[in-house]
Amino acid sequence: MSTKPVLQIALPVPLPGCYDYLYPGSPAPAQGTRVQVPFGRRTLVGVVHGQTQSDYPKLKAVSAVLDDTPVFTAELYALCERAARYYHHPLGEVLNYALPALLRQGGDAQPSQEKRWRLTERGTHVSDEQVSRAPRQHQALQVLREHPKGLSSAMLNALDVASPALNALRDKGWAEQFVVENGPGISKEVLAEPPLAANGEQQQAIHAIQDAEGFTPFLLDGVTGSGKTEVYLQAMAPQLAAGKQVLVLVPEIGLTPQTVQRFRQRFAVPVTTLHSGLTDRERLDNWLAARDGKARIIIGTRSAIFTPLANPGLIIVDEAHDSSLKQQDGFRYHARDLATWRAKTLNIPVVLGSATPALETLQLARDQRFHWLKLSRRATEQQRPGIEILDATLAPPNQPLLPLSLQAIKQCVDNGNQALVFINRRGYAPMILCQDCGWQAECKRCDSFLTWHRAENNLRCHHCDSQQRVPSRCPSCGSSAIHEAGSGTEKLTELLEQSLPVPVIRIDRDATRRKGELDSKLKTIRQGDPAVLVGTQMLAKGHHFPKLALVVILDMDAGFLSADFRGPEQAAQLLLQVAGRSGREGQGRVLLQTRHPDHHLLQLAASGDYPALASALLEERRMAALPPFGHLALFRCEAMTLGKAMAFLQELAQQPVADGVNVLGPVPAPMEKRAGRYRAQLLLQANQRAPLHQTLERLLDAARQSPQSRQCRWHVDVDPIDML
Ligand code: ADP
Ligand code: ZN
Ligand code: ZN
């Protein structure tokens, strides 16, 4: 039997490995080129991985080649391959994920062309009399005369010029459409405004980054308000002047438009963003602008780590401890880690900036594998406010705020300032219960209580989004003594509105659902009139509110007491981020209400001594061989019964494992039932990565072959950050 040339195609299907397709043409498309292939009854867009020969008689052929040149640069392709291996995720799905939606769907990898209408040479000589009997053409002619550089159809429409009139002018040879060349704004000077005068610590950091040659990883460890952004801005200037691109990852652009604004203001080079708020077309155009080197600063959320770059010079990860950098479903990668890999391959510096570095990053700095740059003071002479601990058990019954806190808020707004009450719980009250029999409203589909949303007057599950009506009588004993317990943002807002003469601005997911609502609220806050803000963690990150002088923090205890080993670290990070919003441009004060005022870790965090807290936590991690000292991977499984989920994982747990790998479980997940499914997990731990990955590979093989796998949904999470 004769062999034929075939292409190995990576397809977006949940199975490892590539698929062979005949490709009779020559030369064969290179790695990273998109093709269309038949797959079962569907047609899929896949990516060429390589070439080989096959004698298998029933191979299908590639139906179309979609790109003249590969959409993936070799470097980006290699990054995807490495990520697929490391996270044990199918290559085809990783490649698919890395592409903008329009390219995934098979669209052209071409920037959109802006077309405009203008008058032709002949059109400019047409007199008004010539069109006196066609008023619409007359009007169109006039508008085009006033805009010699041309107008898009949309703009013409807005000026009441419709296409029939334009087409008529074109047919007479008086008007035409042309394509606008959007060349890069070429300017010798990259700075649009002078930099601030950096202080001593900032200067050291800036120079260290500027002087770095080749791959150099930095931890920029600077307290909130210490001017990390100014360091990024000055460190990147020489790169931009040398014609290089800078990639900046941020947690959530929608929440921090100011950050993007600061980059745009400082530099006279094209700044492009990549985030979920863009249309597919905008995203593709921005992606192409980065690939073609037209965009010089690319700011994006985690998936932007997969942006192709023509001429990369520096990668910056802002708020590098932030959990949004880890994707929590599907392809579970960590953009922070990929940023470091990528910088290494590209042989360029990478800067991870944070006021509260992740323990993983901190340990790399301690081991001198990262250069540790410290900014210990606020840039603006302001003292960092200490956190005052208040004993919340002294609160009057059913009052979320201690009298002392309420008084401080009153005083704050009386002085013409703003106060923030932080509570990481939306809705009116987190619980509804019967006073006679103790019944509580629970979600039928999850192991969780329902939150009362008073504005909509329903009970909602924050885990599966299911809703119920508020019962007027106890479903268990019939009593009408149904009460709420605890408080969320809605109730606090109401309480504060009743006791204060100033506006209360609520910022949480429910109160910012409508488009533009968040922006307009943030704008009001920045205008600086006295007000009280009530917010969830949406308000914790990155915001700079000049008039915010007081922060009152409620209910952070759960994190510090959590069974998840990352609980205290994440709680401390959040606490210090929130506290950092206070007193940015004046005297600030932070009050922390807690029911555990003596808790050791909470006290350490409140003292503002994150390094001491981190040391204590790192010591615990070392003893327990947890990250960063040990490495973890988690198999999660969901099924219609707990028995099925456990049995499937039990089968995996019986597989032979490599030396040095510990298999823990299976055990039911901390939240055993969620959205109607039962959940269990199997944890793998090892001090070395190699045996862990070997074992994972074996378990994955077993999982795919197991008949039990058909009755469950399962996945593996490498370096999980959420153990729930
Ligand atoms: P971080 O990102 O570390 O929280 P920012 O970069 O937002 O801090 O800086 C906080 C504030 O300090 C900003 O208003 C910024 O303009 C100001 N700032 C930063 N560096 C300087 C400096 N060298 N001189 C004066 N103001 C500065
Ligand atoms: Zn009852
Ligand atoms: Zn639920």
Side-chain angles (χ1 to χ4, degrees):
M1 199 175 287
S2 73
T3 63
K4 292 191 184 122
V6 297
L7 290 178
Q8 299 166 302
I9 309 293
L11 291 174
V13 293
L15 291 168
C18 291
Y19 294 79
D20 288 348
Y21 285 88
L22 294 173
Y23 186 77
S26 134
Q31 184 179 72
T33 307
R34 289 173 308 148
V35 293
Q36 221 168 36
V37 297
F39 187 79
R41 275 186 234 156
R42 295 180 292 165
T43 303
L44 293 181
V45 174
V47 177
V48 175
H49 178 69
Q51 286 169 261
T52 183
Q53 300 274 327
S54 173
D55 57 10
Y56 184 68
K58 284 196 227 157
L59 283 182
K60 293 182 181 160
V62 168
S63 24
V65 176
L66 300 176
D67 304 306
D68 298 334
T69 52
V71 274
F72 284 94
T73 57
E75 181 257 330
L76 187 55
Y77 194 90
L79 179 74
C80 291
E81 268 193 294
R82 181 169 174 193
R85 263 198 315 275
Y86 184 86
Y87 293 102
H88 298 269
H89 201 73
L91 176 63
E93 288 199 338
V94 173
L95 293 167
N96 187 61
Y97 176 86
L99 290 174
L102 290 180
L103 296 187
R104 267 179 229 162
Q105 293 155 15
D108 276 350
Q110 293 296 330
S112 54
Q113 293 182 326
E114 192 194 342
K115 277 193 175 170
R116 292 191 196 164
W117 285 90
R118 67 180 168 202
L119 293 181
T120 58
E121 170 65 19
R122 271 176 59 206
T124 57
H125 300 297
V126 175
S127 68
D128 285 346
E129 288 78 66
Q130 284 175 273
V131 284
S132 60
R133 283 197 289 162
R136 293 204 165 271
Q137 291 177 37
H138 186 193
Q139 187 209 354
L141 202 66
Q142 258 174 346
V143 169
L144 291 177
R145 271 186 204 143
E146 285 162 20
H147 296 91
K149 286 187 179 161
L151 286 173
S152 68
S153 300
M155 287 191 279
L156 283 162
N157 269 326
L159 294 170
D160 250 359
V161 177
S163 1
L166 292 165
N167 291 337
L169 294 185
R170 186 188 50 206
D171 295 344
K172 293 177 181 162
W174 296 345
E176 65 185 0
Q177 275 187 297
F178 68 105
V179 172
V180 183
E181 283 297 330
N182 279 329
I186 296 181
S187 121
K188 274 246 153 64
E189 185 54 67
V190 297
L191 280 182
E193 63 171 19
L196 301 176
N199 65 33
E201 286 182 328
Q202 284 178 317
Q203 263 175 26
Q204 277 192 2
I206 293 162
H207 286 142
I209 301 167
Q210 287 181 345
D211 293 346
E213 277 173 30
F215 172 62
T216 322
F218 292 98
L219 165 59
L220 180 61
D221 178 2
V223 298
T224 49
S226 60
K228 293 185 289 294
T229 311
E230 187 60 34
V231 171
Y232 304 147
L233 291 169
Q234 296 194 30
M236 63 203 265
Q239 296 284 355
L240 296 171
K244 299 269 170 79
Q245 293 169 298
V246 179
L247 175 65
V248 186
L249 299 186
V250 295
E252 181 54 80
I253 287 183
L255 299 181
T256 54
Q258 294 141 290
T259 310
V260 178
Q261 205 46 41
R262 281 174 76 184
F263 286 88
R264 289 218 159 104
Q265 254 165 27
R266 176 65 55 90
F267 296 110
V269 302
V271 178
T272 269
T273 58
L274 286 165
H275 55 93
S276 57
L278 302 176
T279 65
D280 287 350
R281 186 67 237 181
E282 289 167 333
R283 184 172 256 278
L284 175 57
D285 280 339
N286 293 355
W287 192 87
L288 293 168
R291 184 194 70 176
D292 299 339
K294 289 181 181 159
R296 303 289 302 287
I297 302 173
I298 297 97
I299 307 178
T301 43
R302 66 171 173 259
S303 62
I305 192 58
F306 293 104
T307 312
L309 299 166
N311 203 2
L314 174 66
I315 302 179
I316 292 167
V317 185
D318 189 25
E319 309 283 4
H321 63 278
D322 199 272
S323 57
S324 73
L325 288 162
K326 173 97 195 297
Q327 172 125 321
Q328 305 269 29
D329 55 16
F331 169 34
R332 293 172 165 77
Y333 66 98
H334 205 309
R336 177 196 66 207
D337 296 341
L338 264 60
T340 310
W341 298 357
R342 203 168 173 196
K344 189 163 189 189
T345 312
L346 293 167
N347 202 28
I348 59 174
V350 57
V351 181
L352 309 188
S354 173
T356 50
L359 297 183
E360 281 83 352
T361 314
L362 214 48
Q363 189 58 32
L364 288 167
R366 287 175 157 213
D367 290 343
Q368 297 180 2
R369 291 166 62 193
F370 270 54
H371 295 255
W372 200 343
L373 309 172
K374 291 182 197 172
L375 307 178
S376 56
R377 280 182 289 284
R378 282 205 164 172
T380 49
E381 294 307 306
Q382 290 306 326
Q383 284 288 317
R384 211 151 46 101
I387 299 177
E388 300 164 49
I389 297 183
L390 306 181
D391 184 350
T393 58
L394 304 176
N398 252 327
Q399 285 295 321
L401 282 170
L402 285 161
L404 210 94
S405 305
L406 191 57
Q407 209 188 336
I409 296 171
K410 279 194 174 129
Q411 204 176 15
C412 171
V413 295
D414 280 350
N415 292 342
N417 289 317
Q418 296 173 335
L420 161 65
V421 180
F422 175 85
I423 177 165
N424 213 4
R425 188 187 285 145
R426 57 203 173 86
Y428 192 83
M431 231 180 253
I432 291 282
L433 44 87
C434 167
Q435 277 199 326
D436 287 331
C437 76
W439 167 88
Q440 297 187 5
E442 287 174 33
C443 178
K444 294 189 176 75
R445 310 176 65 219
C446 308
D447 286 328
S448 77
F449 296 115
L450 295 171
T451 301
W452 181 24
H453 286 252
R454 196 157 100 170
E456 286 94 4
N457 197 28
N458 61 17
L459 298 176
R460 269 196 254 159
C461 173
H462 287 181
H463 297 283
C464 72
D465 272 338
S466 65
Q467 303 185 3
Q468 289 177 32
R469 287 198 318 185
V470 185
S472 53
R473 290 183 170 280
C474 170
S476 164
C477 76
S479 158
S480 56
I482 291 189
H483 290 264
E484 91 252 13
S487 350
T489 47
E490 242 187 275
K491 188 184 203 169
L492 265 161
T493 305
E494 182 187 282
L495 251 163
L496 289 162
E497 273 170 346
Q498 283 162 3
S499 36
L500 295 168
V502 298
V504 180
I505 304 171
R506 171 156 72 100
I507 297 201
D508 60 22
R509 244 201 295 149
D510 304 313
T512 56
R513 229 175 265 282
R514 270 175 284 142
K515 201 173 158 70
E517 206 168 10
L518 177 63
D519 279 351
S520 88
K521 285 186 173 190
L522 292 176
K523 214 160 128 199
T524 311
I525 298 171
R526 280 200 294 274
Q527 277 163 2
D529 293 333
V532 180
L533 332 177
V534 174
T536 57
Q537 61 184 357
M538 278 180 89
L539 268 186
K541 295 174 205 164
H543 295 287
H544 187 76
F545 302 132
K547 294 295 272 185
L548 192 68
L550 171 71
V551 172
V552 179
I553 301 169
L554 310 185
D555 257 333
M556 285 276 270
D557 295 350
F560 284 100
L561 302 172
S562 162
D564 184 341
F565 72 92
R566 289 187 201 272
E569 177 191 357
Q570 286 165 352
Q573 288 165 341
L574 185 57
L575 177 64
L576 293 174
Q577 294 287 325
V578 179
R581 297 313 109 211
S582 167
R584 305 273 287 192
E585 289 183 14
Q587 211 31 262
R589 192 174 178 201
V590 183
L591 306 177
L592 170 64
Q593 293 192 186
T594 169
R595 304 185 71 81
H596 301 271
D598 298 325
H599 194 283
H600 159 64
L601 292 175
L602 188 136
Q603 283 184 343
L604 263 183
S607 75
D609 195 350
Y610 185 77
L613 175 89
S615 293
L617 292 174
L618 277 168
E619 208 36 53
E620 287 176 13
R621 300 263 185 104
R622 189 194 299 277
M623 307 284 278
L626 287 168
F629 304 101
H631 307 295
L632 300 179
L634 195 61
F635 266 90
R636 296 197 190 87
C637 176
E638 290 183 2
M640 295 315 286
T641 67
L642 184 63
K644 280 183 182 159
M646 290 287 283
F648 171 67
L649 293 178
Q650 192 64 52
E651 187 185 336
L652 301 190
Q654 276 152 11
Q655 295 291 319
V657 299
D659 274 353
V661 176
N662 297 305
V663 178
L664 305 151
V667 292
M671 181 180 270
E672 190 180 305
K673 188 178 167 199
R674 183 165 175 168
R677 289 174 164 270
Y678 291 84
R679 310 156 75 231
Q681 57 194 34
L682 183 70
L683 186 65
L684 305 189
Q685 185 277 348
N687 292 342
Q688 304 296 327
R689 287 200 187 275
L692 182 69
H693 284 276
Q694 254 174 40
T695 304
L696 270 177
E697 209 42 64
R698 183 173 302 158
L699 265 57
L700 277 163
D701 272 345
R704 290 186 195 108
Q705 280 160 27
S706 163
Q708 298 197 71
S709 74
R710 268 170 253 136
Q711 305 194 18
C712 358
R713 279 189 223 155
W714 57 272
H715 67 258
V716 61
D717 190 351
V718 178
D719 303 334
I721 62 164
D722 174 5
M723 309 301 279
L724 298 179

